């Protein structure tokens, strides 16, 4: 089972842009890992923002986008809002099982 | 409206067993893979297990393989997680989810003496 790595914490200024990344111990992350990005705020269940690398749900704000970047999955937030402060988790398909990353705590400050 | 309602959590001694249930409504349960995800207090999300629509394929995370068993009863729109040989590190809120899109409210399992 792969180990999935994320930045433990990042800070972005309101209105700024930030990219969160998601790597795999087994090598480059590809579309075959079907990367997901989930957002979780304190006391709430997680919600998926991005699935299958770059697909959005109807509730995903347009300022979030997913991509593959230099062998990793990436979540880019363009025009950060105070309500984007949260924990962000990536999820990768690792053979049969899936594996979550450790999460990135994003601060908007 | 899609609804997932977990139950069966509680306090159990290390080494004990517990069976979680998740009752689904608002969609055709038999058409979807279903997944269990857990979150230990103050910790991140951990993928636990998933099961194919007809129950013919199951996958498990390394930390629960050989101890937990996922199953489903499509006639009852229900998903289950049989947890055996519980350890302190299994203490967590357990969520059932359909495709990481729809989540239950979670049920708390505490393995402690």
């Amino acid at each position: 089972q792969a180990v999935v790595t994320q930045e433990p914490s990042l800070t972005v200024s309101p209105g700024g842009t930030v990219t969160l990344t998601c790597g795999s111990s087994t090598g480059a992350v590809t579309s075959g890992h079907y990367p997901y990005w989930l957002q979780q705020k304190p006391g709430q269940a997680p919600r998926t923002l991005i699935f299958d690398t770059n697909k959005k749900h109807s509730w995903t704000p347009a300022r979030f986008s997913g991509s593959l970047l230099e062998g990793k999955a990436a979540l880019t937030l363009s025009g950060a809002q105070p309500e984007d402060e949260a924990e962000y988790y990536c999820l990768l398909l690792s053979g049969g099982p899936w594996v979550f990353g450790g999460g990135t705590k994003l601060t908007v400050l | 409206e899609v609804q997932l309602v977990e139950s069966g959590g509680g306090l159990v001694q290390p080494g004990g067993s517990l069976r979680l249930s998740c009752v689904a409504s608002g969609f055709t349960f038999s058409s979807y893979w279903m997944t269990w995800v857990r979150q230990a207090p103050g910790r991140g999300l951990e993928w636990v297990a998933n099961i194919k629509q007809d129950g013919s394929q199951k996958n498990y995370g390394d930390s629960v393989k050989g101890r937990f068993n996922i199953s489903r009863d499509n006639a009852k729109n229900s998903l289950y997680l049989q947890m055996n040989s519980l350890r302190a590190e299994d203490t967590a809120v357990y969520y059932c989810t359909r495709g990481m899109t729809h989540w239950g409210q979670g049920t708390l399992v505490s393995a402690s003496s």
Side-chain angles (χ1 to χ4, degrees):
Chain A
Q1 182 171 298
V3 174
V4 177
T5 55
Q6 298 181 244
E7 299 86 1
S9 63
L10 290 170
T11 300
V12 61
S13 301
T17 297
V18 64
T19 297
L20 289 64
T21 67
C22 174
S24 172
S25 62
T26 60
V29 176
T30 70
S31 59
H33 289 94
Y34 300 95
Y36 277 64
W37 289 95
L38 294 85
Q39 177 193 65
Q40 188 179 33
K41 296 182 179 180
Q44 296 182 15
R47 68 167 185 165
T48 295
L49 297 176
I50 300 290
F51 63 99
D52 289 359
T53 305
N54 54 15
K55 296 182 174 62
K56 299 182 182 182
H57 284 294
S58 58
W59 55 79
T60 305
R63 58 186 180 273
F64 288 96
S65 63
S67 65
L68 296 176
L69 189 65
E70 298 178 346
K72 295 183 178 182
L75 176 70
T76 299
L77 170 57
S78 302
Q81 301 297 309
E83 61 265 30
D84 298 328
E85 186 161 296
E87 194 83 22
Y88 292 83
Y89 295 93
C90 72
L91 175 66
L92 301 180
L93 177 62
S94 177
W98 293 72
V99 183
F100 278 103
T104 295
K105 181 173 175 55
L106 182 65
T107 301
V108 180
L109 189 61
Chain B
E1 179 194 4
V2 172
Q3 284 201 319
L4 299 167
V5 180
E6 303 95 336
S7 62
L11 178 63
V12 61
Q13 288 197 336
S17 298
L18 213 53
R19 188 196 197 205
L20 305 183
S21 300
C22 171
V23 177
S25 61
F27 65 101
T28 305
F29 180 73
S30 58
S31 297
Y32 292 88
W33 282 78
M34 295 295 296
T35 301
W36 287 100
V37 173
R38 70 183 182 183
Q39 187 167 34
R43 305 294 295 274
L45 300 172
E46 182 180 7
W47 189 93
V48 175
N50 69 357
I51 185 168
K52 196 176 178 178
Q53 291 90 329
D54 62 358
S56 63
Q57 188 174 338
K58 305 175 183 181
N59 298 291
Y60 297 92
D62 281 355
S63 63
V64 307
K65 204 175 297 183
R67 299 187 299 124
F68 289 12
N69 181 57
I70 188 172
S71 63
R72 65 192 297 162
D73 185 334
N74 288 341
K76 296 183 178 179
N77 289 340
S78 293
L79 175 71
Y80 305 103
L81 186 67
Q82 177 66 43
M83 304 185 296
N84 300 325
S85 303
L86 281 161
R87 306 166 180 168
E89 55 264 35
D90 295 317
T91 294
V93 174
Y94 286 72
Y95 296 99
C96 74
T97 172
R98 192 200 90 180
M100 302 296 163
T101 300
H102 300 281
W103 295 72
Q105 83 288 350
T107 186
L108 177 62
V109 171
S110 294
S112 172
S113 54

